[in-house]
Amino acid sequence: MDVSVTMWGLTIIGLCALIAVDFFIGGRKPHEVSLKEAGIWTAVWVALAGLFGLGLLVFAGGQPSGEFFAGFITEKSLSVDNLFVFVLIMAKFAVPTIYQQRVLMVGVLIALVLRAVFIAAGAAIVSTFAWVFYIFGAFLIWTAWKLIQEARADEEEEEFEENRLLKAVEKRFPSTDQYHGTKLFIVENGKRLMTPMLIVMLAIGTTDVLFALDSIPAIFGLTQDPYIVFTANAFALMGLRQLYFLIGGLLKKLVHLSYGLSIILGFIGVKLVLHALHESGVHVPEISIPVSLGVICAVLAVTTATSLYASKKQALAEAGSGEDRTRDKDSVDV
């Protein structure tokens, strides 16, 4: 897909305008985000992504449109996994509820800028070295196996561990442990101090880079078009703030999410390896975009259904155990 510099500029301006509207309507004044508000804005961002994909269908054809939808759904599903870590970060820094939306908004913007750098680098490497698809494919298959191993280990909830960049910032710049509204810096006793608000924003943004190590190779397995890779990532990330508040309570119920994501990553990894073999002149079947889109949607649907069923079954079992313990206690008292 041949995208002119003008189209790139208009796209970035359009995305910035959407972010500005989101900020001035829903995120300018600190407040607790209700489920209704989060649901409306989530629907808006999904609808905007759908309209963009339809626009690609009309003006560029079915192939770019299919690649965008496959990339968007993949990035969106992988971003849900990010929310688990975001919850840990919010708890680690004890972010007040009314400030969480501002933290997520700025953190996601930082993540979007960093991902743009990753995408530019990835596009340059892919266009120059075809063999990099072998590395991307192998990495995704390894990541998929690692996700399965972690899911089967059934480890206790982990704590957020600050990355090196965040530790360096905290060490270099004096800070306070008290929140002062949405201020990033304050002056106290003539000394300029960094507030926890800035620290947690950096934590959200830089931590997302770790997830980009998985998601960027994954979407390059679906399309090698930098424009589609960037826009799919942008639409997936920009609705992440509202998604955090919408499904925050449901995250613990998605017990099979890691299995679903591992299947998706493994599938795309195999697709990348087959594509690399095809580019090397080996006659192997290639997986089409419609097939990829169907597999991704089917895996997510099955994963969600089995997760909710397993969570409901576990809740009923725990409720039954609680009633049995109550009866035993009453018997002893009698």
Side-chain angles (χ1 to χ4, degrees):
M1 182 177 168
D2 187 17
V3 181
S4 64
V5 175
T6 302
M7 180 57 67
W8 270 104
L10 291 174
T11 301
I12 293 174
I13 291 173
L15 292 174
C16 290
L18 292 174
I19 294 171
V21 170
D22 185 14
F23 173 75
F24 284 106
I25 293 179
R28 185 177 183 181
K29 183 179 179 181
H31 65 281
E32 293 188 22
V33 179
S34 65
L35 286 177
K36 180 180 179 181
E37 179 184 348
I40 291 174
W41 276 104
T42 298
V44 167
W45 282 114
V46 172
L48 289 173
L51 290 174
F52 184 84
L54 291 176
L56 287 177
L57 176 63
V58 173
F59 295 103
Q63 181 74 11
S65 178
E67 291 177 354
F68 171 79
F69 281 118
F72 171 72
I73 294 172
T74 299
E75 293 298 312
K76 200 70 173 177
S77 61
L78 290 172
S79 68
V80 172
D81 201 33
N82 299 17
L83 298 182
F84 286 100
V85 179
F86 289 175
V87 169
L88 295 178
I89 293 174
M90 294 294 189
K92 165 78 174 181
F93 293 97
V95 182
T97 306
I98 61 173
Y99 301 139
Q100 288 185 5
Q101 62 161 341
R102 179 66 61 83
V103 168
L104 288 169
M105 177 174 286
V106 178
V108 166
L109 288 177
I110 295 173
L112 185 57
V113 172
L114 294 176
R115 285 202 181 202
V117 176
F118 268 61
I119 291 168
I125 294 173
V126 166
S127 63
T128 306
F129 307 105
W131 50 262
V132 78
F133 287 112
Y134 288 111
I135 299 177
F136 280 1
F139 177 72
L140 290 180
I141 294 171
W142 175 79
T143 302
W145 173 248
K146 185 180 178 182
L147 274 176
I148 292 177
Q149 293 293 95
E150 291 176 353
R152 293 180 62 184
D154 194 24
E155 297 177 352
E156 296 181 358
E157 186 176 349
E158 299 179 357
E159 292 186 0
F160 170 72
E161 184 176 346
E162 297 178 10
N163 55 51
R164 293 182 179 180
L165 174 62
L166 198 59
K167 289 180 179 179
V169 170
E170 291 179 312
K171 185 177 181 180
R172 185 180 182 87
F173 299 96
S175 60
T176 176
D177 58 356
Q178 297 295 322
Y179 286 91
H180 295 266
T182 58
K183 293 181 179 179
L184 305 182
F185 293 94
I186 62 167
V187 177
E188 194 173 271
N189 297 326
K191 192 175 184 181
R192 187 178 177 85
L193 301 176
M194 182 171 56
T195 70
M197 179 65 68
L198 178 58
I199 298 173
V200 71
M201 286 176 178
L202 291 174
I204 293 287
T206 56
T207 299
D208 182 80
V209 174
L210 300 177
F211 292 97
L213 295 177
D214 297 339
S215 63
I216 298 303
I219 195 170
F220 270 111
L222 299 169
T223 176
Q224 284 82 59
D225 191 319
Y227 183 77
I228 296 176
V229 173
F230 174 74
T231 51
N233 268 272
F235 278 105
L237 279 178
M238 287 191 300
L240 194 59
R241 175 173 65 92
Q242 291 81 5
L243 196 63
Y244 172 87
F245 295 105
L246 181 63
I247 69 171
L250 296 176
L251 287 176
K252 292 183 178 180
K253 294 184 179 181
L254 298 177
V255 293
H256 296 160
L257 179 63
S258 293
Y259 292 104
L261 294 180
S262 66
I263 293 173
I264 292 173
L265 290 177
F267 169 78
I268 297 176
V270 172
K271 184 177 185 298
L272 276 170
V273 172
L274 290 176
H275 177 74
L277 290 171
H278 182 78
E279 291 293 315
S280 301
V282 181
H283 295 287
V284 293
E286 285 204 88
I287 302 173
S288 66
I289 288 298
V291 171
S292 300
L293 186 57
V295 169
I296 292 168
C297 291
V299 169
L300 290 176
V302 172
T303 299
T304 301
T306 58
S307 294
L308 295 178
Y309 175 77
S311 298
K312 183 178 180 180
K313 187 176 180 180
Q314 183 179 0
L316 292 174
E318 291 176 353
S321 300
E323 291 178 0
D324 292 340
R325 286 193 295 268
T326 302
R327 292 196 196 97
D328 293 340
K329 184 178 183 301
D330 292 340
S331 299
V332 172
D333 292 340
V334 171

